[in-house]
Amino acid sequence: MGTVMRTVIVGGGVVGLLTALECARAGHRVTLVEQGRLPNPHAASHDRHRVLRALHPDDPGATRAGVAAHHAWRVWEAYLGVRCYHQVGALTGLAPHRVDSARALLAAAGGGGHALDPIALARRWPHLCFPAGAGAVYEERAGVLLADRILEAAVHRLRHHPRVQLLAHTAVVRLDVADRSVILADGRVLRGDRLLVAAGAWARTLLPPVAADRLVLHRQTVLYCAVPREQHHAWTGTPAVAALDAGSGAWLVPPVADAPLGLSAHEVARVVPSLAGRDAAVRWTRTLRERFAPLVPGFHPGWITGARDCYFVADAVTGGALLLDLADGEVFADAASAGGSFKFAPLTARMLAIRLSGGAPPPTGLRSLDRPLRIGTGRLPDPPGHLPEQRTW
Ligand SMILES: Cc1cc2nc3c(=O)[nH]c(=O)nc-3n(C[C@H](O)[C@H](O)[C@H](O)COP(=O)(O)OP(=O)(O)OC[C@H]3O[C@@H](n4cnc5c(N)ncnc54)[C@H](O)[C@@H]3O)c2cc1C
């Protein structure tokens, strides 16, 4: 191993935690600073579940990364020592003429998927209603990540790691990029050889205005439901479903282990000026209830056990993730997260740990990770050859 670095990481969401573990396992010393408790229930990462699906129908690179993420989570599951990846599969709804090419794209990326026509869909999952004439690609090597369990297990590992210092309830108020340091709310200064900002939806408050101005804050409502006992059998083995309804972008996370059924849709992700609570307003829960009533025949409002709002920031140019190189490969900011940033976190963490120790990581297939934008003076450049990134997981 080369020089031992001291790395300061701001943020104890999935990106900060896994990167801290990667850096420590590579022999470096790490201080992770988190403004709340660890893990923080307000972090975007802290939810009952997140979905892993490899197929991104218009993006071969992201699909390759999705296949790699599937394998990486199996390794993390073993390392963390908790059952946290339930491979119940994932279903991507598509117009029939797109199904074969999507399946071919998945196969070319090393993944496996079956093409399903409307008859097969209705026969296999009669408790769901797919759009008339729609087909789908079904992936077996995909499913549900129990997000809160993963965070708890990662914190546990870090707490017992001799090269790691965890500072919970410690807010960073400012970055000093030139000095490779962060200034804490109590005035203390923490200096590292390398810095990483993985502050999720709070990133805008720490980054230089040229970067912060490019980040768009979104707020999204999710419904949590308990499926009635007589339907348990039907729901066992139901995959995660993306694009259950193309118009609203409705998606569904099936109940697994003790985690509930999760329902949401892109149409309830709205741009907001600031972080302001997590209570779900009736307007948005009603929209979701109305949206899912025809999509999940048998759905009853009495199933709903809870609702919560969650925040994420997206790059205004791509609509997706954004990695910034703030100082010649020594200070990075994982500034924006796309819909799939939880599932891709093992790839992000590995890539960041290599970069932070001065190495050149192999490409992941994710444009935003493979080509971090360097902050210069003036306007932040657009990513080379940028395409809109997929906003869903
Ligand atoms: C409704 C919804 C559904 C999603 N579904 C999926 C999915 O199915 N699959 C998927 O892959 N992805 C999904 N995502 C995206 C994914 O959950 C997030 O992109 C990811 O968890 C972000 O992780 P993070 O570590 O970057 O940020 P976070 O988890 O938000 O963590 C950031 C941490 O930084 C801390 N922090 C911030 N500022 C400071 C400061 N100044 N000082 C100290 N600490 C600070 C915060 O307290 C927080 O703990 C979803 C997102 C949403 C909103």
Side-chain angles (χ1 to χ4, degrees), residues 10-15 33-35 40 43-45 50-51 170-172 198-200 202 206 222 310 312 337-343 393:
V10 183
V14 69
V15 173
V33 193
E34 165 57 49
Q35 62 187 351
N40 185 344
S45 310
R50 290 291 180 248
V51 175
T170 306
V172 169
W202 294 264
L206 292 177
V222 180
C310 201
F312 63 97
S337 55
S341 291
F342 196 104
K343 75 178 178 197
W393 42 260

PDB file of all heavy atoms in Angstrom, residues 10-15 33-35 40 43-45 50-51 170-172 198-200 202 206 222 310 312 337-343 393, ligand 1:
ATOM      1  N   VAL A  10     -17.734  14.141   5.075  1.00  0.00           N
ATOM      2  CA  VAL A  10     -18.889  14.848   5.628  1.00  0.00           C
ATOM      3  C   VAL A  10     -20.145  14.119   5.171  1.00  0.00           C
ATOM      4  O   VAL A  10     -20.425  14.058   3.966  1.00  0.00           O
ATOM      5  CB  VAL A  10     -18.948  16.313   5.133  1.00  0.00           C
ATOM      6  CG1 VAL A  10     -20.119  17.052   5.791  1.00  0.00           C
ATOM      7  CG2 VAL A  10     -17.639  17.018   5.399  1.00  0.00           C
ATOM      8  N   GLY A  11     -20.889  13.560   6.111  1.00  0.00           N
ATOM      9  CA  GLY A  11     -22.150  12.916   5.762  1.00  0.00           C
ATOM     10  C   GLY A  11     -22.133  11.422   6.002  1.00  0.00           C
ATOM     11  O   GLY A  11     -21.253  10.707   5.508  1.00  0.00           O
ATOM     12  N   GLY A  12     -23.101  10.960   6.787  1.00  0.00           N
ATOM     13  CA  GLY A  12     -23.189   9.533   7.122  1.00  0.00           C
ATOM     14  C   GLY A  12     -24.383   8.868   6.478  1.00  0.00           C
ATOM     15  O   GLY A  12     -25.052   8.039   7.099  1.00  0.00           O
ATOM     16  N   GLY A  13     -24.670   9.216   5.215  1.00  0.00           N
ATOM     17  CA  GLY A  13     -25.639   8.449   4.431  1.00  0.00           C
ATOM     18  C   GLY A  13     -24.915   7.257   3.819  1.00  0.00           C
ATOM     19  O   GLY A  13     -23.757   6.964   4.162  1.00  0.00           O
ATOM     20  N   VAL A  14     -25.589   6.571   2.902  1.00  0.00           N
ATOM     21  CA  VAL A  14     -24.982   5.349   2.365  1.00  0.00           C
ATOM     22  C   VAL A  14     -23.663   5.642   1.657  1.00  0.00           C
ATOM     23  O   VAL A  14     -22.711   4.854   1.760  1.00  0.00           O
ATOM     24  CB  VAL A  14     -25.982   4.600   1.435  1.00  0.00           C
ATOM     25  CG1 VAL A  14     -26.246   5.342   0.137  1.00  0.00           C
ATOM     26  CG2 VAL A  14     -25.516   3.189   1.173  1.00  0.00           C
ATOM     27  N   VAL A  15     -23.556   6.784   0.997  1.00  0.00           N
ATOM     28  CA  VAL A  15     -22.319   7.081   0.252  1.00  0.00           C
ATOM     29  C   VAL A  15     -21.171   7.340   1.219  1.00  0.00           C
ATOM     30  O   VAL A  15     -20.077   6.757   1.089  1.00  0.00           O
ATOM     31  CB  VAL A  15     -22.534   8.278  -0.713  1.00  0.00           C
ATOM     32  CG1 VAL A  15     -21.217   8.704  -1.347  1.00  0.00           C
ATOM     33  CG2 VAL A  15     -23.555   7.913  -1.792  1.00  0.00           C
ATOM     34  N   VAL A  33     -17.953  12.768   9.711  1.00  0.00           N
ATOM     35  CA  VAL A  33     -18.677  13.766  10.495  1.00  0.00           C
ATOM     36  C   VAL A  33     -20.137  13.773  10.056  1.00  0.00           C
ATOM     37  O   VAL A  33     -20.434  13.921   8.865  1.00  0.00           O
ATOM     38  CB  VAL A  33     -18.085  15.183  10.254  1.00  0.00           C
ATOM     39  CG1 VAL A  33     -18.616  16.160  11.293  1.00  0.00           C
ATOM     40  CG2 VAL A  33     -16.578  15.143  10.287  1.00  0.00           C
ATOM     41  N   GLU A  34     -21.027  13.622  11.019  1.00  0.00           N
ATOM     42  CA  GLU A  34     -22.460  13.569  10.706  1.00  0.00           C
ATOM     43  C   GLU A  34     -23.203  14.539  11.633  1.00  0.00           C
ATOM     44  O   GLU A  34     -23.013  14.510  12.849  1.00  0.00           O
ATOM     45  CB  GLU A  34     -22.973  12.126  10.886  1.00  0.00           C
ATOM     46  CG  GLU A  34     -24.475  11.956  10.955  1.00  0.00           C
ATOM     47  CD  GLU A  34     -25.249  12.506   9.751  1.00  0.00           C
ATOM     48  OE1 GLU A  34     -24.874  12.206   8.607  1.00  0.00           O
ATOM     49  OE2 GLU A  34     -26.229  13.256   9.985  1.00  0.00           O
ATOM     50  N   GLN A  35     -24.075  15.344  11.037  1.00  0.00           N
ATOM     51  CA  GLN A  35     -24.756  16.375  11.839  1.00  0.00           C
ATOM     52  C   GLN A  35     -25.792  15.788  12.806  1.00  0.00           C
ATOM     53  O   GLN A  35     -26.093  16.389  13.834  1.00  0.00           O
ATOM     54  CB  GLN A  35     -25.427  17.392  10.917  1.00  0.00           C
ATOM     55  CG  GLN A  35     -26.503  16.792  10.032  1.00  0.00           C
ATOM     56  CD  GLN A  35     -27.055  17.773   9.000  1.00  0.00           C
ATOM     57  OE1 GLN A  35     -26.750  18.943   9.048  1.00  0.00           O
ATOM     58  NE2 GLN A  35     -27.867  17.282   8.076  1.00  0.00           N
ATOM     59  N   ASN A  40     -28.517   8.674  10.458  1.00  0.00           N
ATOM     60  CA  ASN A  40     -29.465   9.763  10.675  1.00  0.00           C
ATOM     61  C   ASN A  40     -30.804   9.445   9.992  1.00  0.00           C
ATOM     62  O   ASN A  40     -30.854   9.256   8.774  1.00  0.00           O
ATOM     63  CB  ASN A  40     -28.880  11.044  10.073  1.00  0.00           C
ATOM     64  CG  ASN A  40     -29.735  12.257  10.366  1.00  0.00           C
ATOM     65  OD1 ASN A  40     -30.898  12.124  10.766  1.00  0.00           O
ATOM     66  ND2 ASN A  40     -29.177  13.434  10.168  1.00  0.00           N
ATOM     67  N   ALA A  43     -31.670  11.260   6.746  1.00  0.00           N
ATOM     68  CA  ALA A  43     -30.906  11.075   5.500  1.00  0.00           C
ATOM     69  C   ALA A  43     -31.794  10.413   4.448  1.00  0.00           C
ATOM     70  O   ALA A  43     -32.669   9.605   4.782  1.00  0.00           O
ATOM     71  CB  ALA A  43     -29.691  10.188   5.782  1.00  0.00           C
ATOM     72  N   ALA A  44     -31.551  10.731   3.180  1.00  0.00           N
ATOM     73  CA  ALA A  44     -32.322  10.099   2.102  1.00  0.00           C
ATOM     74  C   ALA A  44     -32.112   8.590   2.119  1.00  0.00           C
ATOM     75  O   ALA A  44     -32.995   7.815   1.755  1.00  0.00           O
ATOM     76  CB  ALA A  44     -31.905  10.662   0.754  1.00  0.00           C
ATOM     77  N   SER A  45     -30.941   8.179   2.564  1.00  0.00           N
ATOM     78  CA  SER A  45     -30.631   6.748   2.578  1.00  0.00           C
ATOM     79  C   SER A  45     -31.426   5.987   3.628  1.00  0.00           C
ATOM     80  O   SER A  45     -31.534   4.766   3.557  1.00  0.00           O
ATOM     81  CB  SER A  45     -29.146   6.536   2.908  1.00  0.00           C
ATOM     82  OG  SER A  45     -28.330   7.325   2.099  1.00  0.00           O
ATOM     83  N   ARG A  50     -34.804   0.207  -0.493  1.00  0.00           N
ATOM     84  CA  ARG A  50     -34.416   0.807  -1.757  1.00  0.00           C
ATOM     85  C   ARG A  50     -34.350  -0.335  -2.773  1.00  0.00           C
ATOM     86  O   ARG A  50     -34.124  -1.486  -2.396  1.00  0.00           O
ATOM     87  CB  ARG A  50     -33.040   1.484  -1.659  1.00  0.00           C
ATOM     88  CG  ARG A  50     -33.050   2.770  -0.801  1.00  0.00           C
ATOM     89  CD  ARG A  50     -33.817   3.844  -1.507  1.00  0.00           C
ATOM     90  NE  ARG A  50     -33.909   5.119  -0.832  1.00  0.00           N
ATOM     91  CZ  ARG A  50     -35.042   5.621  -0.334  1.00  0.00           C
ATOM     92  NH1 ARG A  50     -36.154   4.912  -0.379  1.00  0.00           N
ATOM     93  NH2 ARG A  50     -35.071   6.817   0.189  1.00  0.00           N
ATOM     94  N   VAL A  51     -34.521   0.000  -4.027  1.00  0.00           N
ATOM     95  CA  VAL A  51     -34.595  -1.053  -5.054  1.00  0.00           C
ATOM     96  C   VAL A  51     -33.289  -1.144  -5.832  1.00  0.00           C
ATOM     97  O   VAL A  51     -32.640  -0.133  -6.091  1.00  0.00           O
ATOM     98  CB  VAL A  51     -35.753  -0.751  -6.025  1.00  0.00           C
ATOM     99  CG1 VAL A  51     -35.775  -1.759  -7.167  1.00  0.00           C
ATOM    100  CG2 VAL A  51     -37.072  -0.783  -5.282  1.00  0.00           C
ATOM    101  N   THR A 170     -22.486  16.313  14.932  1.00  0.00           N
ATOM    102  CA  THR A 170     -21.422  17.298  14.688  1.00  0.00           C
ATOM    103  C   THR A 170     -21.628  17.878  13.290  1.00  0.00           C
ATOM    104  O   THR A 170     -21.378  17.198  12.297  1.00  0.00           O
ATOM    105  CB  THR A 170     -20.035  16.601  14.772  1.00  0.00           C
ATOM    106  OG1 THR A 170     -19.953  15.919  16.024  1.00  0.00           O
ATOM    107  CG2 THR A 170     -18.911  17.600  14.655  1.00  0.00           C
ATOM    108  N   ALA A 171     -22.102  19.117  13.237  1.00  0.00           N
ATOM    109  CA  ALA A 171     -22.391  19.698  11.917  1.00  0.00           C
ATOM    110  C   ALA A 171     -21.160  20.417  11.372  1.00  0.00           C
ATOM    111  O   ALA A 171     -20.453  21.117  12.101  1.00  0.00           O
ATOM    112  CB  ALA A 171     -23.556  20.672  12.028  1.00  0.00           C
ATOM    113  N   VAL A 172     -20.923  20.228  10.089  1.00  0.00           N
ATOM    114  CA  VAL A 172     -19.902  21.010   9.387  1.00  0.00           C
ATOM    115  C   VAL A 172     -20.591  22.271   8.875  1.00  0.00           C
ATOM    116  O   VAL A 172     -21.655  22.186   8.253  1.00  0.00           O
ATOM    117  CB  VAL A 172     -19.319  20.196   8.210  1.00  0.00           C
ATOM    118  CG1 VAL A 172     -18.464  21.068   7.311  1.00  0.00           C
ATOM    119  CG2 VAL A 172     -18.537  19.004   8.735  1.00  0.00           C
ATOM    120  N   ALA A 198     -20.299  14.234   1.213  1.00  0.00           N
ATOM    121  CA  ALA A 198     -21.388  13.330   0.785  1.00  0.00           C
ATOM    122  C   ALA A 198     -22.605  13.713   1.616  1.00  0.00           C
ATOM    123  O   ALA A 198     -23.097  12.926   2.418  1.00  0.00           O
ATOM    124  CB  ALA A 198     -20.984  11.874   0.999  1.00  0.00           C
ATOM    125  N   ALA A 199     -23.043  14.956   1.432  1.00  0.00           N
ATOM    126  CA  ALA A 199     -24.023  15.563   2.339  1.00  0.00           C
ATOM    127  C   ALA A 199     -25.448  15.492   1.810  1.00  0.00           C
ATOM    128  O   ALA A 199     -26.348  16.141   2.362  1.00  0.00           O
ATOM    129  CB  ALA A 199     -23.634  17.009   2.620  1.00  0.00           C
ATOM    130  N   GLY A 200     -25.675  14.712   0.770  1.00  0.00           N
ATOM    131  CA  GLY A 200     -27.037  14.505   0.267  1.00  0.00           C
ATOM    132  C   GLY A 200     -27.735  15.824  -0.035  1.00  0.00           C
ATOM    133  O   GLY A 200     -27.161  16.733  -0.648  1.00  0.00           O
ATOM    134  N   TRP A 202     -28.343  18.258   1.656  1.00  0.00           N
ATOM    135  CA  TRP A 202     -27.803  19.443   2.332  1.00  0.00           C
ATOM    136  C   TRP A 202     -26.587  20.006   1.589  1.00  0.00           C
ATOM    137  O   TRP A 202     -26.026  21.015   2.013  1.00  0.00           O
ATOM    138  CB  TRP A 202     -27.379  19.089   3.758  1.00  0.00           C
ATOM    139  CG  TRP A 202     -28.496  18.716   4.671  1.00  0.00           C
ATOM    140  CD1 TRP A 202     -29.145  19.533   5.552  1.00  0.00           C
ATOM    141  CD2 TRP A 202     -29.100  17.415   4.821  1.00  0.00           C
ATOM    142  NE1 TRP A 202     -30.111  18.825   6.231  1.00  0.00           N
ATOM    143  CE2 TRP A 202     -30.104  17.524   5.802  1.00  0.00           C
ATOM    144  CE3 TRP A 202     -28.899  16.174   4.219  1.00  0.00           C
ATOM    145  CZ2 TRP A 202     -30.897  16.445   6.197  1.00  0.00           C
ATOM    146  CZ3 TRP A 202     -29.686  15.106   4.610  1.00  0.00           C
ATOM    147  CH2 TRP A 202     -30.668  15.243   5.581  1.00  0.00           C
ATOM    148  N   LEU A 206     -22.975  23.702   1.604  1.00  0.00           N
ATOM    149  CA  LEU A 206     -21.529  23.606   1.818  1.00  0.00           C
ATOM    150  C   LEU A 206     -20.712  23.915   0.563  1.00  0.00           C
ATOM    151  O   LEU A 206     -19.538  24.267   0.673  1.00  0.00           O
ATOM    152  CB  LEU A 206     -21.164  22.189   2.293  1.00  0.00           C
ATOM    153  CG  LEU A 206     -21.661  21.787   3.682  1.00  0.00           C
ATOM    154  CD1 LEU A 206     -21.295  20.335   3.975  1.00  0.00           C
ATOM    155  CD2 LEU A 206     -21.072  22.701   4.760  1.00  0.00           C
ATOM    156  N   VAL A 222     -43.790   9.170  -0.186  1.00  0.00           N
ATOM    157  CA  VAL A 222     -43.895   7.710  -0.321  1.00  0.00           C
ATOM    158  C   VAL A 222     -44.976   7.224   0.642  1.00  0.00           C
ATOM    159  O   VAL A 222     -45.049   7.686   1.782  1.00  0.00           O
ATOM    160  CB  VAL A 222     -42.558   7.014   0.029  1.00  0.00           C
ATOM    161  CG1 VAL A 222     -42.671   5.502  -0.123  1.00  0.00           C
ATOM    162  CG2 VAL A 222     -41.422   7.546  -0.834  1.00  0.00           C
ATOM    163  N   CYS A 310     -39.336  12.689   1.489  1.00  0.00           N
ATOM    164  CA  CYS A 310     -37.894  12.486   1.453  1.00  0.00           C
ATOM    165  C   CYS A 310     -37.327  13.483   0.440  1.00  0.00           C
ATOM    166  O   CYS A 310     -38.021  13.842  -0.513  1.00  0.00           O
ATOM    167  CB  CYS A 310     -37.673  11.050   0.980  1.00  0.00           C
ATOM    168  SG  CYS A 310     -36.115  10.381   1.391  1.00  0.00           S
ATOM    169  N   PHE A 312     -34.167  14.865  -2.226  1.00  0.00           N
ATOM    170  CA  PHE A 312     -32.942  14.558  -2.970  1.00  0.00           C
ATOM    171  C   PHE A 312     -32.601  15.755  -3.850  1.00  0.00           C
ATOM    172  O   PHE A 312     -33.487  16.555  -4.179  1.00  0.00           O
ATOM    173  CB  PHE A 312     -33.073  13.274  -3.814  1.00  0.00           C
ATOM    174  CG  PHE A 312     -34.120  13.334  -4.896  1.00  0.00           C
ATOM    175  CD1 PHE A 312     -33.772  13.653  -6.208  1.00  0.00           C
ATOM    176  CD2 PHE A 312     -35.450  13.078  -4.612  1.00  0.00           C
ATOM    177  CE1 PHE A 312     -34.733  13.694  -7.213  1.00  0.00           C
ATOM    178  CE2 PHE A 312     -36.425  13.123  -5.605  1.00  0.00           C
ATOM    179  CZ  PHE A 312     -36.061  13.435  -6.908  1.00  0.00           C
ATOM    180  N   SER A 337     -27.686  13.313  -6.425  1.00  0.00           N
ATOM    181  CA  SER A 337     -27.918  11.875  -6.500  1.00  0.00           C
ATOM    182  C   SER A 337     -29.065  11.600  -7.459  1.00  0.00           C
ATOM    183  O   SER A 337     -30.082  12.276  -7.413  1.00  0.00           O
ATOM    184  CB  SER A 337     -28.278  11.349  -5.121  1.00  0.00           C
ATOM    185  OG  SER A 337     -29.372  12.068  -4.612  1.00  0.00           O
ATOM    186  N   ALA A 338     -28.876  10.632  -8.287  1.00  0.00           N
ATOM    187  CA  ALA A 338     -29.976  10.236  -9.168  1.00  0.00           C
ATOM    188  C   ALA A 338     -30.837   9.231  -8.416  1.00  0.00           C
ATOM    189  O   ALA A 338     -30.534   8.856  -7.291  1.00  0.00           O
ATOM    190  CB  ALA A 338     -29.413   9.606 -10.430  1.00  0.00           C
ATOM    191  N   GLY A 339     -31.917   8.787  -9.047  1.00  0.00           N
ATOM    192  CA  GLY A 339     -32.812   7.835  -8.399  1.00  0.00           C
ATOM    193  C   GLY A 339     -32.125   6.568  -7.954  1.00  0.00           C
ATOM    194  O   GLY A 339     -32.576   5.904  -7.033  1.00  0.00           O
ATOM    195  N   GLY A 340     -31.007   6.215  -8.592  1.00  0.00           N
ATOM    196  CA  GLY A 340     -30.363   4.940  -8.268  1.00  0.00           C
ATOM    197  C   GLY A 340     -29.141   5.060  -7.382  1.00  0.00           C
ATOM    198  O   GLY A 340     -28.348   4.121  -7.297  1.00  0.00           O
ATOM    199  N   SER A 341     -28.996   6.164  -6.685  1.00  0.00           N
ATOM    200  CA  SER A 341     -27.729   6.365  -5.965  1.00  0.00           C
ATOM    201  C   SER A 341     -27.538   5.418  -4.792  1.00  0.00           C
ATOM    202  O   SER A 341     -26.410   5.211  -4.356  1.00  0.00           O
ATOM    203  CB  SER A 341     -27.605   7.802  -5.479  1.00  0.00           C
ATOM    204  OG  SER A 341     -27.447   8.636  -6.577  1.00  0.00           O
ATOM    205  N   PHE A 342     -28.615   4.861  -4.254  1.00  0.00           N
ATOM    206  CA  PHE A 342     -28.414   3.885  -3.177  1.00  0.00           C
ATOM    207  C   PHE A 342     -27.839   2.609  -3.770  1.00  0.00           C
ATOM    208  O   PHE A 342     -26.825   2.089  -3.304  1.00  0.00           O
ATOM    209  CB  PHE A 342     -29.724   3.607  -2.427  1.00  0.00           C
ATOM    210  CG  PHE A 342     -29.487   2.939  -1.104  1.00  0.00           C
ATOM    211  CD1 PHE A 342     -29.580   3.654   0.082  1.00  0.00           C
ATOM    212  CD2 PHE A 342     -29.123   1.600  -1.031  1.00  0.00           C
ATOM    213  CE1 PHE A 342     -29.329   3.046   1.311  1.00  0.00           C
ATOM    214  CE2 PHE A 342     -28.872   0.980   0.194  1.00  0.00           C
ATOM    215  CZ  PHE A 342     -28.979   1.705   1.349  1.00  0.00           C
ATOM    216  N   LYS A 343     -28.466   2.115  -4.796  1.00  0.00           N
ATOM    217  CA  LYS A 343     -27.994   0.834  -5.343  1.00  0.00           C
ATOM    218  C   LYS A 343     -26.570   0.953  -5.881  1.00  0.00           C
ATOM    219  O   LYS A 343     -25.798   0.008  -5.817  1.00  0.00           O
ATOM    220  CB  LYS A 343     -28.947   0.316  -6.425  1.00  0.00           C
ATOM    221  CG  LYS A 343     -28.870   1.036  -7.756  1.00  0.00           C
ATOM    222  CD  LYS A 343     -29.807   0.426  -8.780  1.00  0.00           C
ATOM    223  CE  LYS A 343     -29.758   1.173 -10.093  1.00  0.00           C
ATOM    224  NZ  LYS A 343     -30.895   0.878 -10.953  1.00  0.00           N
ATOM    225  N   TRP A 393     -35.000   4.604 -10.058  1.00  0.00           N
ATOM    226  CA  TRP A 393     -34.044   3.577  -9.702  1.00  0.00           C
ATOM    227  C   TRP A 393     -34.078   2.485 -10.731  1.00  0.00           C
ATOM    228  O   TRP A 393     -33.407   1.562 -10.733  1.00  0.00           O
ATOM    229  CB  TRP A 393     -34.374   3.015  -8.317  1.00  0.00           C
ATOM    230  CG  TRP A 393     -35.821   2.790  -8.073  1.00  0.00           C
ATOM    231  CD1 TRP A 393     -36.664   3.611  -7.379  1.00  0.00           C
ATOM    232  CD2 TRP A 393     -36.621   1.686  -8.500  1.00  0.00           C
ATOM    233  NE1 TRP A 393     -37.922   3.085  -7.348  1.00  0.00           N
ATOM    234  CE2 TRP A 393     -37.938   1.895  -8.033  1.00  0.00           C
ATOM    235  CE3 TRP A 393     -36.370   0.528  -9.255  1.00  0.00           C
ATOM    236  CZ2 TRP A 393     -38.983   1.010  -8.281  1.00  0.00           C
ATOM    237  CZ3 TRP A 393     -37.402  -0.347  -9.498  1.00  0.00           C
ATOM    238  CH2 TRP A 393     -38.690  -0.113  -9.024  1.00  0.00           C
TER     239      TRP A 393
HETATM  240  C1  LIG B   1     -38.307   8.633  -2.370  1.00  0.00           C
HETATM  241  C2  LIG B   1     -36.960   8.134  -2.810  1.00  0.00           C
HETATM  242  C3  LIG B   1     -36.830   6.836  -3.280  1.00  0.00           C
HETATM  243  C4  LIG B   1     -35.584   6.375  -3.695  1.00  0.00           C
HETATM  244  N1  LIG B   1     -35.494   5.095  -4.156  1.00  0.00           N
HETATM  245  C5  LIG B   1     -34.282   4.620  -4.516  1.00  0.00           C
HETATM  246  C6  LIG B   1     -34.156   3.261  -4.930  1.00  0.00           C
HETATM  247  O1  LIG B   1     -35.121   2.509  -4.944  1.00  0.00           O
HETATM  248  N2  LIG B   1     -32.923   2.814  -5.289  1.00  0.00           N
HETATM  249  C7  LIG B   1     -31.827   3.619  -5.260  1.00  0.00           C
HETATM  250  O2  LIG B   1     -30.757   3.155  -5.609  1.00  0.00           O
HETATM  251  N3  LIG B   1     -31.904   4.906  -4.858  1.00  0.00           N
HETATM  252  C8  LIG B   1     -33.104   5.419  -4.480  1.00  0.00           C
HETATM  253  N4  LIG B   1     -33.220   6.708  -4.051  1.00  0.00           N
HETATM  254  C9  LIG B   1     -32.007   7.552  -4.001  1.00  0.00           C
HETATM  255  C10 LIG B   1     -31.147   7.264  -2.785  1.00  0.00           C
HETATM  256  O3  LIG B   1     -31.907   6.903  -1.647  1.00  0.00           O
HETATM  257  C11 LIG B   1     -30.308   8.481  -2.425  1.00  0.00           C
HETATM  258  O4  LIG B   1     -29.791   9.070  -3.590  1.00  0.00           O
HETATM  259  C12 LIG B   1     -29.130   8.075  -1.552  1.00  0.00           C
HETATM  260  O5  LIG B   1     -29.588   7.371  -0.423  1.00  0.00           O
HETATM  261  C13 LIG B   1     -28.352   9.319  -1.133  1.00  0.00           C
HETATM  262  O6  LIG B   1     -27.339   8.929  -0.232  1.00  0.00           O
HETATM  263  P1  LIG B   1     -26.289   9.986   0.282  1.00  0.00           P
HETATM  264  O7  LIG B   1     -25.372   9.274   1.182  1.00  0.00           O
HETATM  265  O8  LIG B   1     -25.713  10.714  -0.879  1.00  0.00           O
HETATM  266  O9  LIG B   1     -27.163  11.104   1.042  1.00  0.00           O
HETATM  267  P2  LIG B   1     -27.974  10.991   2.405  1.00  0.00           P
HETATM  268  O10 LIG B   1     -28.437   9.626   2.651  1.00  0.00           O
HETATM  269  O11 LIG B   1     -28.981  12.078   2.407  1.00  0.00           O
HETATM  270  O12 LIG B   1     -26.874  11.311   3.512  1.00  0.00           O
HETATM  271  C14 LIG B   1     -26.321  12.586   3.667  1.00  0.00           C
HETATM  272  C15 LIG B   1     -25.898  12.726   5.129  1.00  0.00           C
HETATM  273  O13 LIG B   1     -25.095  13.891   5.268  1.00  0.00           O
HETATM  274  C16 LIG B   1     -25.401  14.502   6.509  1.00  0.00           C
HETATM  275  N5  LIG B   1     -25.032  15.911   6.430  1.00  0.00           N
HETATM  276  C17 LIG B   1     -25.525  16.811   5.553  1.00  0.00           C
HETATM  277  N6  LIG B   1     -24.966  18.017   5.762  1.00  0.00           N
HETATM  278  C18 LIG B   1     -24.105  17.871   6.785  1.00  0.00           C
HETATM  279  C19 LIG B   1     -23.254  18.782   7.463  1.00  0.00           C
HETATM  280  N7  LIG B   1     -23.173  20.075   7.111  1.00  0.00           N
HETATM  281  N8  LIG B   1     -22.510  18.318   8.480  1.00  0.00           N
HETATM  282  C20 LIG B   1     -22.560  16.995   8.836  1.00  0.00           C
HETATM  283  N9  LIG B   1     -23.376  16.105   8.236  1.00  0.00           N
HETATM  284  C21 LIG B   1     -24.130  16.537   7.223  1.00  0.00           C
HETATM  285  C22 LIG B   1     -26.903  14.298   6.616  1.00  0.00           C
HETATM  286  O14 LIG B   1     -27.367  14.454   7.939  1.00  0.00           O
HETATM  287  C23 LIG B   1     -27.076  12.881   6.074  1.00  0.00           C
HETATM  288  O15 LIG B   1     -27.022  11.919   7.098  1.00  0.00           O
HETATM  289  C24 LIG B   1     -34.446   7.213  -3.638  1.00  0.00           C
HETATM  290  C25 LIG B   1     -34.571   8.529  -3.155  1.00  0.00           C
HETATM  291  C26 LIG B   1     -35.803   8.983  -2.745  1.00  0.00           C
HETATM  292  C27 LIG B   1     -35.905  10.395  -2.229  1.00  0.00           C
END
